[in-house]
Amino acid sequence: MNFADSEIVNAILIERGMYPVRDAELADIVLVNTCSIRENAETKVWNRLKEFRKLKTQNKLLTVGVLGCMAERIKDQIIEEEQLVDIVVGPDSYRDIPRLIEEVEDGRKAVNVLLSLEETYADIAPVRTTGNGVSAFVSIMRGCDNMCSFCVVPFTRGRERSRPLGSILNEICQLSDQGYKEITLLGQNVNSYKDGNHTFSTLMDKSSLLYPEIRFRFSSPHPKDFPDELLYLIAERPNLCNYIHIPVQAGSDSMLERMRRPYTRDQYLQLIEKMKKIISNLSLSTDIIAGFCGETEEEHQQTLSLMREVEYDLAYMFAYSERERTLAYRKFEDDISEVIKKRRLSEIISQQMSIQHRRNQNEIGQRHLVLVEGTSKRSAQQMSGRTDNNKIAVFDRKDFEKGDYVEVEITGATSATLIAKPISKTGLVDYYSAVLEA
Ligand code: 5AD
Ligand code: SF4
């Protein structure tokens, strides 16, 4: 989400005659896009800001700004106490950045952290300077109304609102013209997307029909409202990837209730079963929080057992980090010690690593269509890309290029990566037509 936001800010600044540089030492303005989701994310930002303070002492004219979720939370602290920052801009005020920059030039500090009920930046074409030129994020909605008790997002990003369908399809059209091959549609809860009668399924239907050579992914749906029609659409359309990220957070009813997640363990497991039945070769991933308020050993064991039952291909696993303003902060006690949180988290991670290893080993001998994203980080002689079911595959470079679709056969696997033998370059439609015929 923050990558997508930075691309919007890029567009706003470029429109006003500013331009990006690679090195902060060459910049007149440094804007740090921030995340508040966990303490750790905020600590990283503070450390970055301290680095920029050194630059500020070398270059008295340097302007430093903080954008995004941390803005509202720390606006007073950041400007008055720390003297680190000149500009503070919340996630709905990016259009105001050029004005705020001018204000700073007059020697003042500048702040705009107003949240909006309407802003979706629908008319702004993001300028993508940091991506790989093959896969892009497209933001389809902003904010969140779910109010999970642990989560600060509804407070930092405001109310949920959807971007008009036409503006999203227009952006996808431009990305297609620019040669992008993979698009991830982004929202805090994509199944709440709504533009008149258009739902998220309408958007997936239209995008996949209009751009058959582009792969579509999305992040994230909420388990409370995953429609069957979307599952059937994913099963039927070759360019809707057979990979779903479906955050569960915890494996027991009691914990889900305290977290204000409106589903039970059974309902979640039934949804997963239905997904696996409808979509063949489906890969699943999730988010898990360890050590939330009042978590008992028994509740922790239920999280572990749910993860064994589902067998996720990937999981994002976190220790609970208390956030001000949330319901949990106001009503519950953050009473699980750091030692226990860490121990539970490491049990969750090590179990997940062995599940992933086993699942990836099962891929050996299978054929996949890989979209090449670039050369592998480990070796310039190897290319790296993703399979339809979102696994990273590496294989010999030969004369393949970034953006090629390559049919591969999997020959080896670790818990994180598939090793593959390339068979031939192909197209998405050609590949799946051949698979259907066979
Ligand atoms: N502590 C730890 N993890 C959190 N997440 C959200 N809020 C917190 C928190 N306070 C995790 C959830 C969510 C993901 C994006 O971040 O698992 O799905
Ligand atoms: Fe946070 Fe819950 Fe909204 Fe996700 S759905 S952003 S976890 S409040």
Side-chain angles (χ1 to χ4, degrees):
M1 197 68 84
N2 270 9
F3 268 103
D5 273 14
S6 293
E7 291 164 350
I8 289 169
V9 173
N10 253 345
I12 292 169
L13 299 183
I14 289 168
E15 163 88 21
R16 292 299 190 92
M18 291 170 253
Y19 52 90
V21 291
R22 289 267 170 236
D23 188 347
E25 291 187 9
L26 300 176
D28 300 316
I29 303 167
V30 173
L31 301 174
V32 187
N33 200 352
T34 62
C35 173
S36 291
I37 195 95
R38 284 170 292 275
E39 178 82 42
N40 206 1
E42 292 198 349
T43 310
K44 278 190 209 160
V45 172
W46 285 114
N47 290 338
R48 279 312 281 287
L49 290 173
K50 282 175 196 142
E51 281 170 32
F52 294 136
R53 176 159 53 193
K54 284 186 213 135
L55 284 185
K56 260 170 120 38
T57 54
Q58 288 157 23
N59 173 6
K60 294 272 179 272
L61 295 178
L62 181 69
T63 297
V64 174
V66 165
L67 315 183
C69 288
M70 269 173 85
E72 161 63 32
R73 270 176 43 67
I74 54 172
K75 61 178 193 292
D76 302 329
Q77 184 184 2
I78 226 165
I79 289 191
E80 280 154 26
E81 290 171 26
E82 299 275 346
Q83 297 289 314
L84 292 175
V85 173
D86 309 292
I87 299 179
V88 179
V89 192
D92 288 342
S93 306
Y94 298 148
R95 288 180 203 268
D96 202 23
I97 297 176
R99 188 190 65 80
L100 295 169
I101 290 174
E102 279 173 22
E103 220 174 287
V104 170
E105 281 164 0
D106 291 342
R108 284 171 290 167
K109 302 267 177 192
V111 180
N112 186 344
V113 294
L114 288 178
L115 289 175
S116 152
L117 294 177
E118 286 106 34
E119 181 64 274
T120 60
Y121 302 109
D123 55 316
I124 295 180
V127 176
R128 298 177 163 85
T129 48
T130 51
N132 58 14
V134 175
S135 43
F137 294 117
V138 171
S139 173
I140 65 165
M141 55 204 298
R142 300 184 72 82
C144 182
D145 286 348
N146 284 317
M147 293 283 176
C148 301
S149 64
F150 52 81
C151 183
V152 77
V153 167
F155 303 95
T156 58
R157 289 193 159 258
R159 301 303 299 264
E160 182 181 281
R161 64 223 103 117
S162 297
R163 187 177 158 185
L165 187 95
S167 80
I168 300 170
L169 291 173
N170 181 45
E171 188 175 338
I172 296 175
C173 179
Q174 289 172 8
L175 288 168
S176 163
D177 287 346
Q178 291 162 18
Y180 281 87
K181 295 283 182 58
E182 183 176 75
I183 290 174
T184 305
L185 302 174
L186 290 180
Q188 304 297 348
N189 176 12
V190 291
N191 283 324
S192 308
Y193 177 83
K194 203 159 174 35
D195 174 22
N197 292 329
H198 302 312
T199 61
F200 184 59
S201 303
T202 327
L203 177 59
M204 291 290 272
D205 178 24
K206 287 191 189 297
S207 324
S208 56
L209 270 185
L210 286 166
Y211 303 99
E213 283 294 320
I214 293 184
R215 267 179 178 179
F216 291 92
R217 305 184 184 279
F218 56 96
S219 193
S220 300
H222 191 297
K224 69 176 179 174
D225 56 2
F226 206 110
D228 289 0
E229 66 172 337
L230 182 55
L231 293 178
Y232 287 109
L233 200 65
I234 296 171
E236 172 190 306
R237 296 277 163 81
N239 58 337
L240 296 185
C241 290
N242 52 1
Y243 161 70
I244 300 177
H245 178 67
I246 182 94
V248 68
Q249 314 295 0
S252 60
D253 289 350
S254 48
M255 187 59 105
L256 290 169
E257 201 181 322
R258 289 209 291 292
M259 288 179 160
R260 293 249 164 145
R261 302 285 292 183
Y263 50 88
T264 61
R265 175 189 173 103
D266 269 359
Q267 283 167 339
Y268 182 87
L269 287 173
Q270 276 166 27
L271 173 64
I272 296 290
E273 205 178 309
K274 187 160 67 178
M275 288 175 161
K276 287 179 176 170
K277 212 159 97 192
I278 296 175
I279 304 169
S280 53
N281 290 324
L282 177 66
S283 266
L284 290 164
S285 65
T286 200
D287 291 344
I288 299 284
I289 299 178
F292 182 61
C293 309
E295 186 184 61
T296 62
E297 204 53 39
E298 166 63 21
E299 286 170 330
H300 167 58
Q301 289 303 327
Q302 289 199 40
T303 297
L304 285 165
S305 92
L306 179 131
M307 293 178 79
R308 286 194 298 275
E309 215 164 303
V310 177
E311 294 214 302
Y312 296 103
D313 293 271
L314 193 69
Y316 300 91
M317 299 157 283
F318 314 104
Y320 172 59
S321 161
E322 184 175 56
R323 310 317 287 138
E324 262 174 51
R325 299 172 74 187
T326 57
L327 188 81
Y329 176 82
R330 285 176 278 133
K331 275 187 84 176
F332 305 139
E333 204 181 323
D334 180 13
D335 54 357
I336 307 299
S337 72
E338 285 307 308
V339 175
I340 295 181
K341 274 186 196 169
K342 288 225 169 76
R343 193 255 300 155
R344 289 182 183 164
L345 179 63
S346 72
E347 284 173 14
I348 288 171
I349 293 174
S350 75
Q351 175 181 278
Q352 178 56 25
M353 287 305 115
S354 70
I355 293 173
Q356 263 173 235
H357 189 261
R358 193 168 64 241
R359 292 206 38 98
N360 284 354
Q361 290 286 317
N362 286 345
E363 297 281 1
I364 295 175
Q366 307 280 337
R367 294 217 170 167
H368 279 288
L369 183 68
V370 171
L371 173 62
V372 181
E373 290 175 12
T375 50
S376 147
K377 272 186 228 139
R378 293 242 174 105
S379 154
Q381 294 320 306
Q382 299 252 299
M383 294 310 251
S384 163
R386 262 165 224 275
T387 61
D388 186 317
N389 61 356
N390 201 40
K391 303 202 175 193
I392 294 173
V394 294
F395 50 88
D396 285 346
R397 180 175 187 148
K398 303 208 165 164
D399 54 2
F400 301 122
E401 288 173 17
K402 200 159 88 165
D404 285 347
Y405 282 113
V406 179
E407 181 179 13
V408 304
E409 184 175 315
I410 308 305
T411 56
T414 68
S415 59
T417 312
L418 302 177
I419 321 294
K421 183 176 80 181
I423 295 168
S424 60
K425 182 176 152 171
T426 175
L428 192 150
V429 174
D430 287 348
Y431 175 79
Y432 286 103
S433 314
V435 168
L436 275 180
E437 267 174 39

